[in-house]
Amino acid sequence: MKKLISAILFLLPVAAFAAGGGTTYPNDKANVNYGDKASIQNGAKLFVNYCQGCHSMEYVRYSRIAQDLDLTEDQASALILGDGKLGDTMDKAMDAGLAEKWFGVNPLDLSLVARVRGNDWVYNYLRAFYLDDSRPYGVNNTVFPSVGMPHVLADLQGLQVKSDELVAAEEAITSGKARIEQLKATLKDADASAEAVAKAEEGVALLEEEVHDAELEIAKIAREGKMFTIVEEGDMTPQEYDHAVRDLVAFMAYTANPVKLKSKAIGLWALLFLLVLLVLAYFLKKEFWKDIKKK
Ligand code: HEC
């Protein structure tokens, strides 16, 4: 019996993590809870207030949200922009042509973004805006470098800069890579002496190790949450801000995959059903063998 149970537990699907190449930082987990409707509701409110000016959700109707998230009629109509109706899709406030003129790109429809990019990516992206004078809106983003979106949540998060540790590690990588390129030029040079080539090869190996160390250092800085330093406080503490962004991502995760709300419940019932079946099968087996053993 014990063996049977452990075999079943073993076969339960284990969440697979996609180990993607080209990691960007921060690289934290969004930990969206599809069962937490209050979180998704709060996310919907944040989306309407802070995102829908520029981004639509063409595949999402207010009425569906109201139904899925158990909203009252008043709560639902509070979400609706302008003179929209409950049966409408979540169109953006801004005209597409105007948006393109302002931002150079037409901000994407976000109905499916959490599925395309992944919950974690969106969660990290919205926490990774930092001050950068060279950008048109004064901010850049470590997850989406040179992004064309302003930091629309700045009044909640405040403004942050890259921390000194992060800047130092990044500089080590840039300068290390530049020196590697220089040395590689020596290696390609047909006139270089054997001695010079050997020295260059040694240098490249050493620098590659340094670059690798600096990359590990960045991963560590990110893990410890030390990538940024707040220089102007927002309305929220960093913890509150992370929570708000998690809610926002929960809402986008729901719109990208509305059946998830239900599939989790269905999955639990299915497991329960299998357990009951297991117990019945066990007693049935006992019943059958009882007679056989007697003979
Ligand atoms: C002022 C207009 C504006 C607002 C408001 C805005 N965005 Fe954006 N957003 C943009 C633009 C422009 C881009 C495209 C950036 C690019 O391609 O460089 C973008 C890109 C994105 C992307 C990346 C899409 C992709 O996969 O390439 C995400 C995710 C996103 N926005 C989420 C949000 C969320 C969530 C909010 C609300 C908190 C929000 N945006 C508010 C203008 C806006």
Side-chain angles (χ1 to χ4, degrees), residues 17 26 69 216 248 259 287:
F17 291 104
L69 302 183
L216 291 180
L248 197 45
V259 286
E287 194 62 31

Side-chain angles (χ1 to χ4, degrees), residues 46-47 50-51 53-55 103 105-108 110 113 117 121-122 125-126 144 146-150 152-153 248 252:
L46 288 167
F47 183 86
Y50 288 97
C51 320
C54 298
H55 295 282
F103 304 112
V105 283
N106 189 12
L108 284 181
L110 293 184
V113 74
R117 294 286 202 175
W121 187 94
V122 180
Y125 166 66
L126 292 171
F144 190 155
S146 306
V147 69
M149 173 171 141
V152 297
L153 297 173
L248 197 45
M252 286 185 271

Side-chain angles (χ1 to χ4, degrees), residues 27-221:
N27 189 19
D28 300 323
K29 296 260 164 277
N31 293 329
V32 165
N33 177 0
Y34 291 93
D36 186 351
K37 283 194 180 167
S39 156
I40 303 177
Q41 282 174 8
N42 187 40
K45 216 175 349 171
L46 288 167
F47 183 86
V48 171
N49 286 329
Y50 288 97
C51 320
Q52 210 180 347
C54 298
H55 295 282
S56 57
M57 286 222 175
E58 277 177 28
Y59 303 108
V60 182
R61 283 180 200 283
Y62 297 106
S63 50
R64 173 80 197 258
I65 299 181
Q67 196 184 5
D68 285 349
L69 302 183
D70 306 330
L71 297 182
T72 64
E73 209 161 295
D74 282 348
Q75 283 172 323
S77 34
L79 287 182
I80 299 174
L81 276 186
D83 51 5
K85 286 187 245 359
L86 199 59
D88 289 349
T89 53
M90 297 183 73
D91 297 328
K92 62 181 154 215
M94 184 183 255
D95 172 73
L98 193 62
E100 186 136 10
K101 205 167 112 193
W102 279 16
F103 304 112
V105 283
N106 189 12
L108 284 181
D109 184 87
L110 293 184
S111 319
L112 302 175
V113 74
R115 202 172 343 159
V116 177
R117 294 286 202 175
N119 295 349
D120 296 342
W121 187 94
V122 180
Y123 176 65
N124 289 309
Y125 166 66
L126 292 171
R127 294 155 63 246
F129 284 95
Y130 65 93
L131 289 176
D132 178 354
D133 286 342
S134 71
R135 299 296 307 157
Y137 293 102
V139 285
N140 207 331
N141 192 293
T142 53
V143 171
F144 190 155
S146 306
V147 69
M149 173 171 141
H151 185 13
V152 297
L153 297 173
D155 56 335
L156 303 183
Q157 185 186 26
L159 293 170
Q160 56 186 13
V161 292
K162 282 186 180 174
S163 68
D164 295 341
E165 292 113 296
L166 180 62
V167 171
E170 283 181 347
E171 271 168 9
I173 292 177
T174 325
S175 70
K177 281 186 173 165
R179 273 157 62 206
I180 289 174
E181 284 314 305
Q182 282 170 1
L183 290 178
K184 282 193 170 161
T186 314
L187 291 177
K188 280 189 202 131
D189 184 357
D191 298 332
S193 68
E195 197 187 339
V197 167
K199 219 170 151 195
E201 271 172 353
E202 198 180 317
V204 168
L206 213 67
L207 286 166
E208 274 173 352
E209 206 166 302
E210 270 176 30
V211 168
H212 182 66
D213 284 348
E215 279 165 357
L216 291 180
E217 175 67 16
I218 290 182
K220 180 164 164 270
I221 292 169

